[in-house]
């Protein structure tokens, strides 16, 4: 399976294991800067239900100081929140009907497991897990050295 792309800064922090030239890293850093997306209007989509909207707003408020989430992340975050509501719904169904209604495994158990896998995938993409945040922290600039030229 191919590795995910790493930012130019992450290459530098790791000691440039792929032996990219300074020109390649500089070009990549400039391109990454050009691709930055605004974080000014991160609002929940209208199609989310009330519970999912609450979760969407909770997460965006938590991440506001980090400037990690942008307008480009709205749909992924919305899908995460919607999937979380599905997970809670399956959990409620299992509690209501039991694990083995009529002597058979409750189908909501399988759906809950699938949904948990999806939640984990989206949570990692959005930086909602400790390991995802740790990976993101590796590539962050020091606030004291923001004006330093690494190239």
């Amino acid at each position: 399976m191919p590795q995910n792309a790493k930012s130019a800064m992450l290459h530098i922090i790791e000691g440039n294991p792929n032996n990219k030239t300074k020109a390649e890293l500089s070009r990549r850093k400039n391109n990454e800067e050009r691709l930055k997306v605004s974080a000014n209007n991160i609002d929940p989509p209208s199609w989310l239900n009330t519970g999912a909207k609450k979760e969407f707003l909770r997460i965006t408020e938590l991440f506001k100081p980090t400037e990690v989430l942008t307008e480009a992340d709205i749909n992924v975050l919305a899908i995460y929140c919607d999937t979380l509501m599905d997970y809670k719904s399956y959990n409620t169904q299992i509690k209501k009907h039991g694990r083995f209604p009529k002597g058979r495994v409750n189908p909501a158990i399988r759906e809950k497991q699938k949904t948990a896998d999806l939640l984990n995938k989206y949570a990692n993409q959005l930086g909602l897990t400790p390991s995802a945040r740790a990976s993101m922290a590796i590539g962050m600039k020091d606030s004291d050295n923001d004006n330093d030229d690494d190239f």
Side-chain angles (χ1 to χ4, degrees), residues 15-34:
N16 196 11
N18 295 344
N19 298 319
K20 295 197 180 295
T21 65
K22 286 185 178 185
E24 286 176 294
L25 290 172
S26 179
R27 182 183 52 80
R28 191 166 178 171
K29 180 182 178 207
N30 290 337
N31 288 343
E32 289 170 6
E33 288 294 322
R34 288 178 39 216

Side-chain angles (χ1 to χ4, degrees), residues 76 79-84 86-87 90 111-126 128:
V76 175
I79 292 168
Y80 169 83
C81 295
D82 190 49
T83 304
L84 179 62
D86 290 344
Y87 180 88
Y90 293 132
E111 295 303 318
K112 181 182 169 185
Q113 290 170 337
K114 287 181 189 176
T115 304
D117 290 339
L118 279 174
L119 285 171
N120 188 45
K121 175 184 155 191
Y122 291 127
N124 282 317
Q125 287 179 357
L126 293 164
L128 299 177

Side-chain angles (χ1 to χ4, degrees), residues 37-48 52-53 55-57 59-61 63 68-83 122 125-126 128:
V37 178
S38 170
N40 295 332
N41 300 307
I42 302 178
D43 297 320
S46 59
W47 53 267
L48 285 177
K53 281 183 183 179
E55 184 65 10
F56 186 101
L57 294 171
I59 291 171
T60 54
E61 190 62 33
F63 276 80
V68 169
L69 296 176
T70 68
E71 292 175 33
D73 303 315
I74 289 174
N75 286 329
V76 175
L77 180 57
I79 292 168
Y80 169 83
C81 295
D82 190 49
T83 304
Y122 291 127
Q125 287 179 357
L126 293 164
L128 299 177

Side-chain angles (χ1 to χ4, degrees), residues 103-144:
R104 295 187 177 175
V105 175
N106 189 334
I109 292 173
R110 183 177 49 253
E111 295 303 318
K112 181 182 169 185
Q113 290 170 337
K114 287 181 189 176
T115 304
D117 290 339
L118 279 174
L119 285 171
N120 188 45
K121 175 184 155 191
Y122 291 127
N124 282 317
Q125 287 179 357
L126 293 164
L128 299 177
T129 66
S131 61
R133 287 190 300 280
S135 294
M136 290 166 50
I138 292 170
M140 289 179 70
K141 294 179 183 178
D142 291 337
S143 58
D144 297 340

